Amino acid sequence: MAAALSAGLLNERSARAIAENPQAVLAGARELQALVWEIMHTGFKERGTA
């Protein structure tokens, strides 16, 4: 986690949230991933490339 903080991939608030409730962070990440896939799929369909 220290490396991610020093590289600017995490801020202090994000690191604290992960440390306090890693399962909630993972669940949120899965929801975000599903949303991104849905957006990508919709974009492909609109362009006729799906």
Side-chain angles (χ1 to χ4, degrees):
M1 195 175 293
L5 281 166
S6 67
L9 299 173
L10 285 177
N11 62 31
E12 196 172 325
R13 182 178 180 191
S14 298
R16 190 172 303 122
I18 293 168
E20 289 174 359
N21 195 347
Q23 292 302 320
V25 174
L26 290 173
R30 285 189 292 271
E31 289 180 21
L32 179 58
Q33 182 182 29
L35 176 62
V36 170
W37 280 111
E38 184 178 331
I39 291 168
M40 288 173 52
H41 182 70
T42 301
F44 292 147
K45 286 177 89 174
E46 288 175 356
R47 286 179 275 178
T49 58

